[in-house]
Amino acid sequence: MKGTEKNSFVNVGRLVGELQEYEEKYWHYNVVCWVQDEEDFRALGIVGKGLDEDGDLRIELEEMEDEEGFYSVSDTLDALKEYDRDVRVYLAGCGLYLGINSDGGIFAEADEDDENVGF
């Protein structure tokens, strides 16, 4: 079950606003969610999206075994812009439901070696 705390959600407008900062230079980089699993980090890529029964936007994730088949910065922005800016967003995949921590910014520096923009 996803969290229902209002503070556990960011909205589409906030995601679009911050991700647009990467659009010009890193438009083709994958958008990657880094999740700590015990002592290791797992890379989860965006594979889809859709509104849930509450009207919140679920961004669907799968574990990245290679770099192909995942949403780029450009793909992610295009997908987000289909929704109203006030729609709340969360992540789901690999048995996880995740809120997006927006303290101090959502996205990390782009990794030019792996061509990923992480959050």
Side-chain angles (χ1 to χ4, degrees):
M1 175 184 246
K2 69 178 183 172
T4 56
E5 299 281 326
K6 258 196 155 160
N7 295 337
S8 66
F9 291 92
V10 298
N11 64 29
V12 168
R14 175 84 188 267
L15 281 176
V16 167
E18 290 196 27
L19 193 55
Q20 281 178 327
E21 295 175 23
Y22 298 90
E23 185 175 25
E24 186 175 327
K25 185 174 180 181
Y26 304 110
W27 62 271
H28 60 290
Y29 281 26
N30 287 325
V31 179
V32 178
C33 175
W34 294 99
V35 178
Q36 188 169 3
D37 185 15
E38 297 184 19
E39 293 183 17
D40 296 324
F41 282 92
R42 293 169 48 193
L44 307 178
I46 300 173
V47 294
K49 47 75 179 158
L51 292 177
D52 67 11
E53 63 277 354
D54 298 322
D56 298 326
L57 179 59
R58 178 187 62 254
I59 294 178
E60 299 164 2
L61 306 172
E62 285 185 8
E63 192 150 3
M64 296 180 73
E65 295 181 20
D66 58 39
E67 301 292 317
E68 300 296 319
F70 298 96
Y71 280 37
S72 67
V73 169
S74 180
D75 296 333
T76 303
L77 282 168
D78 289 345
L80 289 170
K81 289 176 182 177
E82 294 176 16
Y83 299 93
D84 185 89
R85 296 182 60 80
D86 294 327
V87 170
R88 300 183 315 168
V89 181
Y90 68 98
L91 309 169
C94 302
L96 303 169
Y97 288 99
L98 305 167
I100 300 171
N101 184 350
S102 61
D103 294 339
I106 296 170
F107 298 97
E109 285 293 318
D111 183 341
E112 294 188 10
D113 294 330
D114 293 333
E115 295 191 354
N116 293 317
V117 172
F119 65 104

